[in-house]
Amino acid sequence: ILASILSLIIYWLIRDRYRVRNLNGKHVFITGCDTGLGNSLAKWLDKKGFCVIAACTTEKGSQQLRSCSSLSLKTVNLNLADSNSIARAVEFVTEQTAGKGLFGLVSNAEGTAPVGPTDWLRIEDFHSVLDVSLLGLIEITLKLLPLLKKAEGRVINLINAKGLMAFVGGGYSLSKWGMEAFSDTLRIEMQHFGVKVSVVEHGFFKAEVVNSDIIEKYLFKLRNRLTPEIRDSYGEKYF
């Protein structure tokens, strides 16, 4: 038993010392780079020497990121709820990689609202989250797989750990559980092609807009559109 434990410790130490070498020419595509974790990761990888392609939802986000990065960092506008926007982004990535393949795909963008009691929601409320956080992620991953296989790259899906606890209605937790299942299946299938698939379940980060403010805004919006019968059945105390 002691020999097994010692062997495991040695294995972990050796594995954790491994670093990717020859970063020149290795392209990494990151979604959700306007602010937050995606933005910070794009800047960090750019400084490390990777060829970063950062997807932003707004032109303002793209301009701000380019202004504080090297000339090698490229940006592209991306709306994960729009298949045409995804197709344009994939075409851009294909052009930038110039036959080398894609070394890394980091999916970070997510739709968070609305969340609330399931009884207060409509099917379009679920679509507004799932179309971005789950279906959009799946679509762009599928379209980039040929480039990832060519470079024997890796897929990294960032998942907020709070999404793994189903304590509130809406599409947020559904999207995170779905990302886990999609990633686990893809990991097994892509081993044949030398493509690695990882899930990073990160903790809480302070964003520019406090999440509780967004949730409160949507709760008022959801409550105001309820029929009088449903609103009265919950009452003021519940709200």
Side-chain angles (χ1 to χ4, degrees), residues 149 152 186-196:
K149 288 158 68 175
E152 294 189 354
L186 189 67
R187 180 184 303 115
I188 297 170
E189 297 169 347
M190 287 296 108
Q191 286 179 352
H192 176 73
F193 301 98
V195 176
K196 298 178 181 179

Side-chain angles (χ1 to χ4, degrees), residues 158-171:
L158 305 183
I159 300 178
N160 194 318
K162 66 185 178 185
L164 302 178
M165 300 175 286
F167 60 89
V168 65

Side-chain angles (χ1 to χ4, degrees), residues 13-64:
L13 290 174
I14 293 174
R15 195 188 76 159
D16 287 353
R17 289 179 57 133
Y18 176 76
R19 295 291 183 272
V20 176
R21 306 296 180 187
N22 302 320
L23 305 184
N24 186 36
K26 284 184 167 61
H27 290 80
V28 179
F29 179 56
I30 311 170
T31 65
C33 293
D34 294 80
T35 58
L37 196 56
N39 183 277
S40 299
L41 180 62
K43 295 175 183 175
W44 187 77
L45 291 180
D46 178 53
K47 291 180 181 178
K48 288 289 183 179
F50 285 97
C51 299
V52 177
I53 307 172
C56 299
T57 57
T58 64
E59 184 58 35
K60 178 181 178 182
S62 296
Q63 292 176 354
Q64 289 179 343

